[in-house]
Amino acid sequence: MLPRYEGQGGSLELGCAGDGGGMMLNYLKGEAYRIAHGRAAYLFAGTLCAIVLAANVLLWAMSSTPGFPYATVRFSMSNLVSMLPLLFYMAGLLVWVLFADDRKDGTLKNAIAHGCSRRDLFLGKCLVATVLGLAILAVVLAVYVGSAVLLLEGSTEAVAILLEGVASALPFTAACVVLGVAVCSALPKTVTAFLVWVAVVSVIPAVLNVIGLGVEPVARLASWLPANFFANEVAINQSGLAQFLWDTPEGLAKCLIAGIAGIAVFGAVGLWRAGKAEL
């Protein structure tokens, strides 16, 4: 008999007994039930919504100050446009919120004991985190853009720029989810996994960027790392000066290629390590 998750809405079997796609589907249903009846995802989404709403409310409150030039939709949107790598960190944080305690509470052992392969678990976690992340992103953007448009002045042209930028960052954001699942599955200690994730996403690109200042081949490699090109090739300010990587076919292709390559590489490593990791 399969283990069941008990909650206010009833219970759901969390095992993966079955064949092929049925095993994966049963695991996905169990994870969906666990997340829907838990608090972690709601707290994560609610905290992000509260932060972006507070930022726009603060700008609105400051609009009564004589000479204050920043209570505009353009300025509000420019904050995220100029910091799109934040999406990568939110993706990694979401993985930790969802799965960091899997080893501690025995979820992995229970699922494997009832028929799920480790590779199925890896793929299932990637899918669950990606779908949930997209849903949370949609809600947070709705709160962010909606409050800016309602509270602040100026043209809404920057909203379209923001949405284009977020769309261009989504492929590597998904790659960051896959990397997060991979390191959480492969490494027994949460802190170690987190440090490895940060090193791959942020530290190594920053080091290569510095080395590239004096070594041309390294500079070319560093220019293809998302943490670098979203930081160096995107700019927007109040005076109208703007530079958007995704406005050119070459820049958009770089975003897509780097993101898809990240998903493929991190996914391949995660699948390879999934069969070797200790529970």
Side-chain angles (χ1 to χ4, degrees):
M1 183 175 179
L2 299 177
R4 303 175 71 87
Y5 177 91
E6 301 292 340
Q8 293 181 346
S11 61
L12 184 71
E13 290 181 346
L14 296 181
C16 297
D19 295 318
M23 296 170 63
M24 175 71 76
L25 181 60
N26 199 41
Y27 172 74
L28 294 177
K29 288 180 179 179
E31 282 297 286
Y33 188 91
R34 177 180 71 85
I35 292 168
H37 288 78
R39 293 183 297 175
Y42 299 106
L43 288 173
F44 182 78
T47 300
L48 293 180
C49 287
I51 290 172
V52 297
L53 179 59
N56 284 332
V57 169
L58 179 61
L59 290 176
W60 170 75
M62 293 295 294
S63 64
S64 59
T65 303
F68 185 76
Y70 302 117
T72 64
V73 174
R74 180 182 178 87
F75 179 79
S76 178
M77 298 298 101
S78 70
N79 288 330
L80 182 54
V81 170
S82 61
M83 296 187 294
L84 284 172
L86 280 176
L87 296 179
F88 308 157
Y89 291 97
M90 293 302 101
L93 182 58
L94 177 61
V95 171
W96 263 262
V97 168
L98 294 178
F99 305 122
D101 292 331
D102 274 3
R103 293 175 187 271
K104 187 184 301 182
D105 60 21
T107 301
L108 289 179
K109 290 183 178 180
N110 288 338
I112 290 173
H114 290 86
C116 268
S117 73
R118 299 185 186 209
R119 289 181 173 84
D120 283 344
L121 286 175
F122 172 77
L123 293 174
K125 287 182 177 182
C126 290
L127 184 58
V128 167
T130 299
V131 172
L132 180 62
L134 289 173
I136 292 175
L137 177 61
V139 172
V140 174
L141 283 177
V143 173
Y144 183 33
V145 172
S147 60
V149 171
L150 289 174
L151 296 175
L152 306 177
E153 300 177 353
S155 169
T156 59
E157 177 186 359
V159 173
I161 296 172
L162 170 65
L163 296 180
E164 291 170 358
V166 169
S168 69
L170 279 181
F172 193 73
T173 303
C176 289
V177 169
V178 176
L179 176 62
V181 175
V183 296
C184 274
S185 300
L187 299 173
K189 292 186 177 180
T190 301
V191 173
T192 304
F194 175 76
L195 292 176
V196 170
W197 186 93
V198 171
V200 173
V201 173
S202 183
V203 176
I204 293 175
V207 171
L208 292 177
N209 194 46
V210 172
I211 295 174
L213 296 176
V215 183
E216 181 59 29
V218 176
R220 287 196 293 269
L221 172 61
S223 71
W224 275 87
L225 301 179
N228 290 336
F229 62 67
F230 275 109
N232 299 334
E233 301 180 46
V234 177
I236 181 173
N237 60 33
Q238 286 293 89
S239 66
L241 178 64
Q243 174 187 353
F244 306 119
L245 177 72
W246 52 86
D247 272 351
T248 65
E250 296 81 5
L252 182 58
K254 179 185 283 190
C255 297
L256 296 177
I257 292 171
I260 293 171
I263 293 172
V265 172
F266 300 152
V269 173
L271 287 171
W272 172 67
R273 285 293 303 166
K276 300 178 178 294
E278 295 293 332
L279 296 182

